[in-house]
Amino acid sequence: MLTTAAQENAYDVALANFDAAADALDLSQDIREMIRYPERVLTVGVPVRMDNGHIHRFEAHRVQHSSVRGPAKGGIRYHPQVTLDEVKALATWMTWKCAVVNIPFGGAKGGVTCDPKHMSQGELERMTRRYTSAILPIIGPEQDIPAPDVYTNAQTMAWVMDTYSMTKGYAIPGVVTGKPLCLGGSLGRNEATGRGVFYTIQSACEHLGLPLKGAEVAVQGFGHAGSVTARLLHEAGAKVIAVSDSTGCVYNRNGLNVPELIHMKTLTGHVAGFPESEPIEHGELLAIECDILVPAALENALHAANAGAVGAKIVAEAANGPVTPGADRILEKNGVFVIPDILCNAGGVTVSYFEWVQDEQHLFWEAQDVYDRLQRVMKTAFREVLKIHLDRRVPMRTAANMLGIGRVAEAVQIRGIYP
Ligand code: NAD
């Protein structure tokens, strides 16, 4: 959702990606009819008494794209530019993503059109509780399980869990994932997305014969996903040479000190002005000559007008939908290896699944168990997608969609249609 000259509707992109994979799978029209569209779309008004005493009504959505393979699963996004189409796209991608990593969930997403950076904690809490109460009839641990996304976090999930539990009359931790540890959260969940991105980058480097040690990396977006990816790459000996957030971009050809940058971002909320770095423009970061570019902000970061300038060998999509179909064609022509979002950032939902399993069993795992299981899941999914990419000579994105959509199609076929 970055503002670009070539802004594309994310839902159109999701449908175009679906159609390409469905064609490659030769899916019947009947199956397409059943799995292409969301099962349920709910839009609610969320009135909140603001700190100034006035009431403001926020527009909010919860979209359940699929429950064919299990409960719908997906984050809640707070952002001024949230639209229903964006939420539908994100819910659709969740369905294919859960199927790519073969966890027994469908896809969902929630979004509230708001500006969380200009809201107090009290306003955020009241908005979260009222939104939860509005979507309460359709969520639940066996039905639809929210999680954090852009500008929501473990605290937001604690408010959702509390509101849901108070209404039901007893504690139900399994209604959300990405919770604080003291409420049934999982060790390793905080860094799961970035860790999963890191594992897929490792696999891509092995496939391409590119040593990770010394590899040059640029990261767009230094939040949950981007900062953890940067730290793990730094720890593995890669050189993170450029990083950005919404406030600016910092660059150092010799490598940025990532732990110190994370420390500064935690203290000040921005990366701009980091010592031993020079400022560059947002557009320059995407065009930097490097080995690995990690878009970890929002949709449409790379589009037809700027993809030709990408100077990286690998684009690892930590964000959802950062590359438009127009950009995809250019990257492919230029030989850039793309690790598509529904594979690359699936570590978050995978550890969400582990969290849900632990909540259901009331039995909690060591961090190392989480990391080992996550690594197995991510590396298996990467191998399976790569095999389709090589065997069928399709782009990695189509290969990932073929794997995910193929699994959902098989499930819907065998379940049949009710009544
Ligand atoms: P976040 O809010 O923690 O971080 C987003 C970051 O992007 C912030 O640092 C923000 O300043 C930066 N940003 C925003 N606009 C920017 C711009 N124009 N240029 C550069 N940076 C910009 O969010 P997150 O959870 O890290 O999510 C980032 C992306 O990863 C989203 O697409 C999200 O859907 C995806 N994702 C997140 C998770 C997760 O578990 N958090 C899982 C899967 C996918």
Side-chain angles (χ1 to χ4, degrees):
M1 225 168 41
L2 304 179
T3 309
T4 65
Q7 189 95 9
E8 287 202 38
N9 178 306
Y11 191 50
D12 291 341
V13 173
L15 292 178
N17 289 337
F18 171 83
D19 291 338
D23 288 348
L25 286 166
D26 205 14
L27 279 192
S28 73
Q29 200 51 43
D30 286 356
I31 296 288
R32 291 180 200 223
E33 279 292 302
M34 286 186 71
I35 67 175
R36 192 171 187 263
Y37 308 101
E39 285 174 9
R40 184 183 272 154
V41 175
L42 176 64
T43 294
V44 292
V46 179
V48 176
R49 189 168 303 279
M50 307 302 278
D51 291 346
N52 65 10
H54 292 298
I55 290 178
H56 184 85
R57 178 192 178 276
F58 297 91
E59 181 104 339
H61 316 280
R62 184 75 189 168
V63 173
Q64 294 169 351
H65 176 263
S66 174
S67 60
V68 172
R69 300 177 79 250
K73 183 87 190 84
I76 297 172
R77 176 173 294 193
Y78 289 172
H79 196 277
Q81 286 155 35
V82 161
T83 63
L84 179 56
D85 267 1
E86 179 189 42
V87 180
K88 281 160 74 176
L90 291 163
T92 308
W93 287 324
M94 285 304 297
T95 303
W96 317 139
K97 186 185 300 184
C98 291
V100 164
V101 284
N102 215 359
I103 57 177
F105 284 149
K109 203 79 180 189
V112 183
T113 312
C114 64
D115 191 354
K117 283 188 177 170
H118 294 108
M119 293 172 69
S120 68
Q121 278 292 98
E123 289 169 340
L124 286 170
E125 176 172 354
R126 292 193 290 280
M127 185 182 78
T128 302
R129 288 185 181 280
R130 182 63 189 244
Y131 171 61
T132 305
S133 125
I135 63 169
L136 200 130
I138 66 164
I139 61 170
E142 307 299 335
Q143 197 177 357
D144 177 358
I145 308 149
D149 189 67
V150 174
Y151 297 138
T152 55
N153 54 29
Q155 175 63 75
T156 324
M157 293 307 111
W159 291 327
V160 176
M161 178 265 180
D162 183 68
T163 308
Y164 186 85
S165 300
M166 292 313 290
T167 309
K168 296 288 176 185
Y170 54 97
I172 307 176
V175 66
V176 285
T177 58
K179 295 178 293 291
L181 278 180
C182 63
L183 288 180
S186 174
L187 291 169
R189 173 61 185 89
N190 262 349
E191 59 175 61
T193 302
R195 191 168 276 276
V197 172
F198 171 72
Y199 292 143
T200 62
I201 291 174
Q202 266 187 332
S203 295
C205 285
E206 279 162 28
H207 165 63
L208 298 172
L210 182 83
L212 193 50
K213 204 170 163 46
E216 293 184 329
V217 182
V219 181
Q220 181 207 39
F222 206 59
H224 294 106
S227 65
V228 173
T229 306
R231 176 172 63 76
L232 294 173
L233 287 168
H234 175 82
E235 285 170 7
K239 212 159 59 161
V240 179
I241 59 173
V243 157
S244 68
D245 64 10
S246 55
T247 65
C249 308
V250 291
Y251 170 75
N252 182 338
R253 185 40 80 180
N254 298 318
L256 296 158
N257 185 328
V258 177
E260 280 184 17
L261 188 54
I262 291 174
H263 185 62
M264 183 178 125
K265 170 88 178 165
T266 311
L267 286 183
T268 66
H270 52 78
V271 298
F274 183 63
E276 293 181 28
S277 76
E278 55 180 282
I280 56 169
E281 293 298 318
H282 282 286
E284 281 180 83
L285 179 137
L286 299 170
I288 275 177
E289 283 297 320
C290 63
D291 297 296
I292 304 157
L293 171 64
V294 185
L298 293 167
E299 297 97 78
N300 289 337
L302 294 177
H303 44 83
N306 67 1
V310 166
K313 300 185 181 80
I314 296 173
V315 171
E317 295 183 345
N320 285 308
V323 176
T324 67
D328 257 338
R329 285 189 284 276
I330 296 168
L331 295 178
E332 203 195 346
K333 187 163 74 61
N334 292 346
V336 179
F337 187 85
V338 175
I339 313 173
D341 47 7
I342 61 169
L343 168 65
C344 190
N345 69 36
V349 76
T350 301
V351 176
S352 274
Y353 165 60
F354 297 162
E355 179 176 333
W356 178 79
V357 168
Q358 293 170 75
D359 288 340
E360 295 284 288
Q361 298 185 337
H362 310 281
L363 182 67
F364 291 87
W365 309 349
E366 307 276 321
Q368 199 55 49
D369 289 342
V370 173
Y371 298 154
D372 291 346
R373 284 173 188 267
L374 174 62
Q375 182 163 11
R376 274 203 297 280
V377 168
M378 296 304 297
K379 298 239 159 166
T380 302
F382 186 93
R383 255 197 324 275
E384 289 176 328
V385 172
L386 185 68
K387 183 165 173 7
I388 298 172
H389 164 66
L390 297 174
D391 289 354
R392 297 288 305 270
R393 295 167 188 252
V394 290
M396 281 290 282
R397 185 178 321 283
T398 307
N401 278 314
M402 285 170 73
L403 182 63
I405 292 168
R407 283 181 172 150
V408 177
E410 186 190 359
V412 89
Q413 180 122 34
I414 207 146
R415 277 182 66 159
I417 188 163
Y418 174 87

